[in-house]
Amino acid sequence: MYITYIIIGITVVISFLGYSNQSMMQNLIMNPYMINRKQQYYRFITSGFIHADHMHLFFNMFSLYFFGRTMEYIFNMLFGASGGYYFLALYLLGVIVSDIPSYLKHRNHPQYNALGASGGVASVIFASILFLPLQKIYIYFVPIPGVIAGVGYILFSWYQGRKANDNINHDAHLYGALFGLFFCVIIYPEVLPNFIEQIQNWQEYR
């Protein structure tokens, strides 16, 4: 579970440094125009380690703390010593892949920026839901089975992304979540029949 802690530590440090250094923030932020015109592809990664404010940072890292440890444990059980590499790939690729749609949409818009670890965190959360669909997720202290919370999350992100009126990159949430599901099915195909079996035997898990 140490990789989760390392990611959180690095993200917190870089985010706090960025709060007081706007030049640093501008150099790390996801700006599709700069990527397209100056091939600054590193922004796909660095934008996942900075956040808009303390609440944005706290929500992402709080979520990663709980779900990241679960996924590290699962990957270590499945892949042994290689489990950490799979977890790191899930998270970092989630950060990258979740920003690709925004890049394609806004690569000619100089003023568009995006930041935050939401895509990577969503990948980890939905990977956890795929392995443990009936595990309870607490939303405002109300326990909800992960699979139900996940479906609601995807529908909400899709709807808000279409509205695009709250300055939040909901597309990153949506595509990060979908990538997390895709990644797990590719590296461990057995997860899909296991998921279906758990859903079919829902009453036994209650």
Side-chain angles (χ1 to χ4, degrees):
M1 294 184 289
Y2 68 92
I3 296 179
T4 297
Y5 299 137
I6 291 174
I7 293 174
I8 291 174
I10 293 174
T11 304
V12 168
V13 169
I14 294 178
S15 292
F16 269 84
L17 290 174
Y19 294 150
S20 58
N21 189 332
Q22 285 302 308
S23 176
M24 173 185 170
M25 188 77 78
Q26 290 304 313
N27 286 331
L28 300 181
I29 204 165
M30 172 64 183
N31 183 287
Y33 183 83
M34 295 298 287
I35 294 174
N36 185 42
R37 294 302 176 92
K38 295 191 176 182
Q39 290 75 55
Q40 295 179 349
Y41 299 110
Y42 68 86
R43 292 177 183 268
F44 279 107
I45 287 287
T46 58
S47 61
F49 290 89
I50 54 176
H51 288 77
D53 52 43
H54 295 85
M55 186 57 65
H56 186 205
L57 173 65
F58 173 78
F59 181 79
N60 274 337
M61 294 303 99
F62 184 78
S63 301
L64 181 60
Y65 174 75
F66 285 103
F67 291 96
R69 294 182 305 161
T70 297
M71 283 314 303
E72 274 199 76
Y73 177 79
I74 290 174
F75 282 162
N76 287 335
M77 290 289 292
L78 293 176
F79 305 112
S82 299
Y85 296 108
Y86 282 97
F87 176 75
L88 197 58
L90 169 66
Y91 182 79
L92 294 180
L93 289 175
V95 171
I96 294 170
V97 171
S98 65
D99 274 336
I100 291 177
S102 295
Y103 165 75
L104 295 175
K105 183 178 180 179
H106 297 286
R107 63 185 182 274
N108 295 315
H109 303 157
Q111 302 304 315
Y112 179 86
N113 292 299
L115 75 173
S118 299
V121 174
S123 295
V124 172
I125 291 175
F126 275 77
S128 176
I129 290 173
L130 187 60
F131 278 96
L132 302 169
L134 304 183
Q135 180 172 308
K136 297 296 191 297
I137 294 177
Y138 286 82
I139 301 177
Y140 295 109
F141 305 104
V142 178
I144 299 175
V147 64
I148 294 178
V151 171
Y153 180 90
I154 288 180
L155 292 175
F156 176 78
S157 294
W158 177 83
Y159 175 72
Q160 290 295 113
R162 301 290 73 77
K163 290 172 60 178
N165 64 352
D166 58 5
N167 297 318
I168 297 176
N169 187 3
H170 290 281
D171 286 344
H173 300 170
L174 173 61
Y175 289 108
L178 295 177
F179 172 77
L181 301 177
F182 175 80
F183 180 89
C184 290
V185 171
I186 293 299
I187 66 169
Y188 189 70
E190 292 90 339
V191 70
L192 199 52
N194 289 342
F195 172 86
I196 295 172
E197 180 181 358
Q198 290 183 64
I199 297 301
Q200 289 176 336
N201 297 309
W202 191 311
Q203 291 298 323
E204 296 180 14
Y205 288 87
R206 296 184 64 180

